[in-house]
Amino acid sequence: MFSWQLDDELALLFLQPDMASELFGLCRENRDYLTQWLPWPPYIQQPADSATFIRHAIEKFARGEGLTTVIEYQGEVVGVIGYNQIDQALAKVTIGYWLAERWQGNGIITRACQALIHHAFEEMGMEKVEISTAVENEPSRAVCERLGMQPEGISRRAERLEDRVVDHVHYGLLRDEWLRQRDH
């Protein structure tokens, strides 16, 4: 299994079919929390739903269109992160993630995003990294700002969540901006 050790407590693991039950349990435990910002948690009703997600993620990876990993923190699966989209023609990737509520505030997502950004620019030769989040999702917006990403605009009525429609703010980081940050 592909495992990317980021530091002494944080690793990214390539999704495997045998992770379906564990991932389902994490989703079930965090359903109310995750539903605040994501449209899919209400549809994850059984381990087979997580298995379907994993199968689709592996197929997307095989086509070169995405990369999804679980986040392992101190030996425990705590969330998911990856490139939701890899656009070779435009040389850009879009990062998406979610983290279980009890692990918020430990810098996990910031560190994982830093690793994916570094990989996108250094290993994949990308020119841009993007993240979109609900305008009201202050924790995710703070992650983008800590990463040095620039707000590029707002899409109104961008996503339907369970009980409302939200606007998204789009953040971007260009290779030359990242190089300047890295070298300072």
Side-chain angles (χ1 to χ4, degrees):
M1 169 179 44
F2 163 81
S3 174
W4 183 8
Q5 194 70 40
L6 304 185
D7 57 39
D8 61 339
E9 59 185 8
L10 188 61
L12 303 181
L13 311 175
F14 188 77
L15 278 176
Q16 298 293 311
D18 64 359
M19 295 176 174
S21 291
E22 185 174 16
L23 204 54
F24 169 73
L26 190 62
C27 290
R28 184 186 60 224
E29 292 164 18
N30 289 273
R31 182 173 287 121
D32 291 341
Y33 174 72
L34 295 173
T35 299
Q36 295 176 78
W37 305 119
L38 299 167
W40 53 263
Y43 303 103
I44 305 299
Q45 294 295 318
Q46 55 191 344
D49 298 327
S50 291
T52 298
F53 164 74
I54 291 169
R55 188 178 71 253
H56 288 298
I58 292 169
E59 290 167 358
K60 194 171 184 179
F61 175 75
R63 292 189 306 267
E65 297 171 356
L67 169 65
T68 306
T69 66
V70 296
I71 303 167
E72 187 181 71
Y73 180 70
Q74 298 177 347
E76 185 175 338
V77 172
V78 298
V80 170
I81 191 167
Y83 303 127
N84 287 352
Q85 179 183 24
I86 298 172
D87 186 329
Q88 295 292 346
L90 292 176
K92 71 177 183 174
V93 295
T94 303
I95 294 176
Y97 52 80
W98 63 267
L99 184 68
E101 184 174 20
R102 74 179 276 232
W103 299 108
Q104 300 286 321
N106 291 293
I108 293 168
I109 292 298
T110 300
R111 288 163 26 210
C113 283
Q114 286 169 332
L116 288 181
I117 289 168
H118 181 270
H119 182 262
F121 289 136
E122 291 290 327
E123 306 299 323
M124 298 173 67
M126 294 289 131
E127 293 296 326
K128 184 177 185 184
V129 174
E130 298 177 328
I131 296 176
S132 292
T133 186
V135 170
E136 300 87 7
N137 189 340
E138 293 297 331
S140 278
R141 292 187 69 176
V143 166
C144 294
E145 289 160 16
R146 276 193 298 278
L147 294 168
M149 300 183 91
Q150 301 299 311
E152 296 184 330
I154 294 177
S155 292
R156 297 177 294 170
R157 298 190 58 80
E159 185 173 45
R160 171 164 288 291
L161 300 178
E162 190 171 53
D163 60 348
R164 69 196 192 286
V165 175
V166 296
D167 299 342
H168 276 190
V169 59
H170 302 283
Y171 286 90
L173 182 63
L174 301 176
R175 172 192 286 280
D176 63 335
E177 295 166 339
W178 177 75
L179 288 171
R180 282 195 300 272
Q181 287 177 25
R182 186 194 69 181
D183 294 340
H184 282 89

